[in-house]
Amino acid sequence: MTRTMIYAHRGASKLAPENTMPAYEIASESGADGLEIDVQLTKDNIPVLIHDENVRRTTNGTGFVQDYTYDEIKRLDAGSWFSSKFSDCSIVTLDYFLRWFKNQSMKLNVELKTNVIEYKDIEQMVYDRLSFHRMLEHTVISSFNLSSVEKVTAIDPNVQTAFLTSTKRRHLPKFAHTHGASSLHVKYRMLDKNLVKQCHHHRMPLRVYTVNRPSWMTKCFKLGCEGIFTDVPHEAVEYRKLFESKK
Ligand code: G3P
């Protein structure tokens, strides 16, 4: 039976502001197997870590990431919305994150946030940064936008990719496979035995988001999902230990 890997969703995002260095540092100390990051592009084409296209929810600024240069966006406070303890947090570049990450011995999931704005050439830019830092082997590049998955596969057919979806459809693994995805990332409510079976058939790792409840974690462990994305990696690590001790 596959041991389910625990990925910290946007870092340990229940304990620190999502997609910031403290969230990733805490996640790394939690015993998680991997980290998930979201990437968007600034006006001057710098890949940065932030989930939303607009900075409003997670910073003290307003407007779109694509309308800020990196010099402008890095001055925003990306932590106070979460807690005053994190008021010195800023939005970091993918490069900055990777320089830290490469000493962590963890897996990485880079989500290209191209489902709302199709940032031109983001696939090549992110690929180049991962390649420069020699992190490709440890990374899965995912997107809700199939065209991004296809572009990454065209750049390098050996890179691990995932199609992300929250929409049920028949023969989903086959569909994702046909579009070049090597794995499938699905919303929790889509998980059932049949999907697991189909993924096995296509040899596609199945990872599930966002799994925060213990009962959901246990279901993923029992079904042998390859991974879960969770905001509470420290709790997931404990529940997995408990699950394994009962086997
Ligand atoms: O990559 C898994 C999960 O992060 C996808 O959903 O909305 O958090 O980007 P979302």
Side-chain angles (χ1 to χ4, degrees):
M1 171 69 82
T2 310
R3 183 183 209 220
T4 304
M5 300 290 128
I6 295 164
Y7 285 79
H9 178 240
R10 312 181 193 173
S13 52
K14 269 269 156 52
L15 298 179
E18 62 183 59
N19 277 292
T20 65
M21 290 315 295
Y24 292 112
E25 284 156 5
I26 296 170
S28 149
E29 286 157 15
S30 72
D33 306 287
L35 303 178
E36 189 252 2
I37 65 174
D38 297 300
V39 175
Q40 317 241 5
L41 280 191
T42 60
K43 192 175 172 179
D44 47 349
N45 285 328
I46 306 292
V48 288
L49 273 54
I50 182 166
H51 180 272
D52 299 0
E53 293 69 30
N54 195 301
V55 300
R56 187 181 36 218
R57 183 177 62 85
T58 58
T59 74
N60 61 344
T62 54
F64 289 88
V65 175
Q66 66 173 2
D67 295 328
Y68 281 83
T69 61
Y70 174 63
D71 265 350
E72 291 163 349
I73 213 169
K74 76 176 183 199
R75 290 195 212 114
L76 298 178
D77 166 356
S80 289
W81 68 276
F82 188 88
S83 152
S84 55
K85 262 195 330 203
F86 296 104
S87 59
D88 59 348
C89 281
S90 54
I91 294 175
V92 295
T93 62
L94 175 62
D95 251 327
Y96 182 91
F97 171 84
L98 290 174
R99 277 197 294 275
W100 167 82
F101 178 78
K102 60 189 183 185
N103 300 311
Q104 299 302 312
S105 326
M106 295 176 98
K107 293 170 186 293
L108 179 63
N109 173 213
V110 180
E111 184 189 338
L112 302 176
K113 300 302 295 182
T114 48
N115 44 319
V116 178
I117 297 172
E118 297 209 32
Y119 297 103
K120 191 172 178 316
D121 297 332
I122 189 172
E123 297 82 7
Q124 186 72 56
M125 289 175 206
V126 168
Y127 178 88
D128 289 346
R129 299 331 298 153
L130 290 166
S131 170
F132 176 81
H133 291 284
R134 301 182 193 283
M135 283 294 110
L136 283 169
E137 254 183 61
H138 307 277
T139 305
V140 180
I141 302 176
S142 64
S143 183
F144 283 105
N145 184 338
L146 260 181
S147 150
S148 279
V149 173
E150 287 174 331
K151 284 178 193 167
V152 173
T153 308
I155 293 166
D156 181 350
N158 294 317
V159 76
Q160 300 174 71
T161 56
F163 175 46
L164 252 171
T165 184
S166 58
T167 311
K168 278 196 179 191
R169 65 183 296 151
R170 286 187 75 207
H171 309 303
L172 179 58
K174 185 176 175 193
F175 171 79
H177 191 258
T178 310
H179 287 273
S182 54
S183 45
L184 193 59
H185 293 180
V186 300
K187 199 171 174 87
Y188 170 75
R189 59 177 164 72
M190 295 170 64
L191 178 66
D192 60 28
K193 273 188 191 162
N194 187 36
L195 183 63
V196 174
K197 200 169 139 195
Q198 286 183 44
C199 283
H200 271 289
H201 178 75
H202 289 280
R203 301 203 171 130
M204 293 186 94
L206 175 64
R207 306 183 188 94
V208 183
Y209 71 91
T210 304
V211 185
N212 291 340
R213 293 192 194 165
S215 59
W216 295 4
M217 292 175 190
T218 307
K219 181 175 173 184
C220 294
F221 301 155
K222 273 191 186 152
L223 286 173
C225 297
E226 201 270 349
I228 59 168
F229 299 98
T230 179
D231 300 333
V232 285
H234 42 295
E235 290 177 22
V237 166
E238 290 310 312
Y239 283 114
R240 186 176 61 184
K241 273 188 206 152
L242 193 66
F243 172 76
E244 287 174 345
S245 71
K246 287 181 183 163
K247 273 204 290 187

